[in-house]
Amino acid sequence: MKVLLDRLGIRRLLNLGVTEHLGLESSVRVQLSNLIAVLGIYSNIQYSIFFVIAGAPHYRIMNLIHVCVITSLVFVLYLNIKGKYTLSRVILVFTVSVPLFFVSTISFGSSGGFYYYFLMFAIVPFVIFSYEEKWWILFVFLMNTGFYIWFEFFGTPGKFEEGTLLYRKEIQELFRINSVVSCLSFVALFMFYFLRNINRIQKEMTRINDHKDRIFSILAHDLRGPMGTMSNFLGYLTTSLPERDELIFGLKELKKTTNQTYLVLENLLDWVQNETKKTQCNPKNLSLSLILKNTLDILNIQATDKGISWEINVSETASVYCDERMTATVLRNILSNAIKYSHPNGRVSIEAELVSQFMEVRFQDNGVGMTDDLLSKIIEGKRFASGFGTVGEKGTGLGLLVCMELLKEQGGSLQVFSQPQVGTKIIIRLPLIN
């Protein structure tokens, strides 16, 4: 179905004017406005043809009105593209009622049931206006309801020329049936689309609440512990003068704790920025070996304390076309995890080679590995609980999720292969300069 809609260009029409800066609720209203405008254009073209075939009274005047209405509805789509959403909706709710008013006044009268559409348009403002625009909702609702009541109870039947299709009662009844079915179909379509997007909004709210809880959990547990450790050690230094060896050991531990806290904060900020779509990608030609060297320097103390050795096979001339901060974050997270889940005195290999239009970088460790369930969550991009490292290191469970999102933002990709108690292999692909 989605493929068919894409081929017909309908999805593109419905998303005219929808930008990443709009909230989900506002985007839904713009899409519904586009849907009503597109249906209005289609209906006016359809009825213009029917009126000519059926010999409707004053069909030339009605077709001229249809042309004006179609032009106005196209202008509504243009206003959405330009971001003038309120003006677009105001013009829309008045424009869609115009042909119905004239067809029920100068052409069909109360015959054919065209005035039934006023009931449908009475509910349209409820789905395209926000609660803050309640006076517009009330005005349009009362206007269309008033039109319906007038034509239902005070309208007169149309006068049709003998010999035309509309002179026959059964054809008039067919028009009436078509009006009823069309109204119900359009209302069902609006309601279905509205309910579908309400469901999307509810899921988005659930996701946001889940993210909020995750952030508070990280702040409460993963940051409070390291910060408490640093505070205690600094308090110890201010009240006593330790021996030189104790001081060096304590400073190393302080440095390691600081690095871990920094990584947690960095992951948290990158994750939040990406989730709120505030991440800015500024790609340029970068030296992969230089970024890798800077990353290893940051993780040097962490690796040395566990006796982790590096096996690096990356050319000095290897380059990628990426955002420097994003790429550094990806490498830091992958290598930090490799250290965390490797056994003491383990080995981590890093190699890079050109594959098609990408630089493929492979990271291999012989650590604890991952279960199939955990691996499937990572592949699907789902949140998962982070386990402790081999010597009790803590994590947020955000590292690989951040990596996947940052790589996707740059046009790259990430693959994970792992077996419990065997190790983990991660392959990332970084784009090259065009």
Side-chain angles (χ1 to χ4, degrees), residues 287-319:
S287 169
L288 177 61
S289 60
L290 181 59
I291 300 176
L292 182 60
K293 178 181 179 301
N294 293 336
T295 302
L296 294 176
D297 287 343
I298 293 174
L299 301 172
N300 184 51
I301 293 178
Q302 186 181 344
T304 302
D305 285 348
K306 288 188 73 169
I308 304 297
S309 59
W310 307 107
E311 185 178 316
I312 303 173
N313 184 19
V314 178
S315 171
E316 293 288 335
T317 59
S319 61

Side-chain angles (χ1 to χ4, degrees), residues 111-212:
S111 304
F114 285 97
Y115 59 92
Y116 294 157
Y117 283 98
F118 286 121
L119 292 177
M120 178 183 69
F121 292 133
I123 67 170
V124 164
F126 289 93
V127 296
I128 65 172
F129 286 106
S130 66
Y131 178 75
E132 287 74 18
E133 300 166 307
K134 52 185 174 293
W135 295 113
W136 277 116
I137 297 174
L138 181 61
F139 176 76
V140 176
F141 171 78
L142 292 176
M143 179 187 73
N144 284 282
T145 303
F147 284 156
Y148 170 78
I149 292 173
W150 173 262
F151 288 109
E152 176 67 44
F153 297 103
F154 305 102
T156 57
K159 295 180 181 180
F160 306 108
E161 186 178 341
E162 187 174 355
T164 62
L165 288 175
L166 284 173
Y167 188 76
R168 298 159 58 184
K169 292 294 183 183
E170 60 269 24
I171 299 299
Q172 295 179 33
E173 286 303 311
L174 281 177
F175 271 97
R176 184 181 296 275
I177 293 171
N178 177 71
S179 297
V180 173
V181 173
S182 297
C183 285
L184 292 175
S185 299
F186 289 162
V187 169
L189 181 60
F190 296 155
M191 292 298 99
F192 179 79
Y193 198 82
F194 187 71
L195 289 174
R196 169 183 173 271
N197 288 287
I198 286 295
N199 184 53
R200 287 173 57 198
I201 292 172
Q202 289 175 339
K203 288 182 178 179
E204 180 70 9
M205 292 298 295
T206 301
R207 187 181 70 87
I208 291 172
N209 286 331
D210 186 49
H211 289 172
K212 178 195 67 177

Side-chain angles (χ1 to χ4, degrees), residues 332-347:
R332 187 170 61 246
N333 274 293
I334 293 174
L335 292 174
S336 177
N337 280 345
I339 296 170
K340 184 190 304 180
Y341 297 111
S342 289
H343 299 291
N345 302 314
R347 177 181 293 272

Side-chain angles (χ1 to χ4, degrees), residues 266 270 273 279-288 291 320-331 406-407 409-412 430-431:
E266 187 79 2
D270 282 330
Q273 285 182 333
T279 305
Q280 296 294 325
C281 182
N282 300 303
K284 57 183 178 180
N285 203 30
L286 304 171
S287 169
L288 177 61
I291 300 176
V320 292
Y321 187 69
C322 296
D323 180 275
E324 185 171 6
R325 185 190 63 80
M326 290 183 178
T327 306
T329 299
V330 170
L331 296 180
L406 294 184
L407 286 168
E409 189 77 17
Q410 301 178 89
L430 298 168

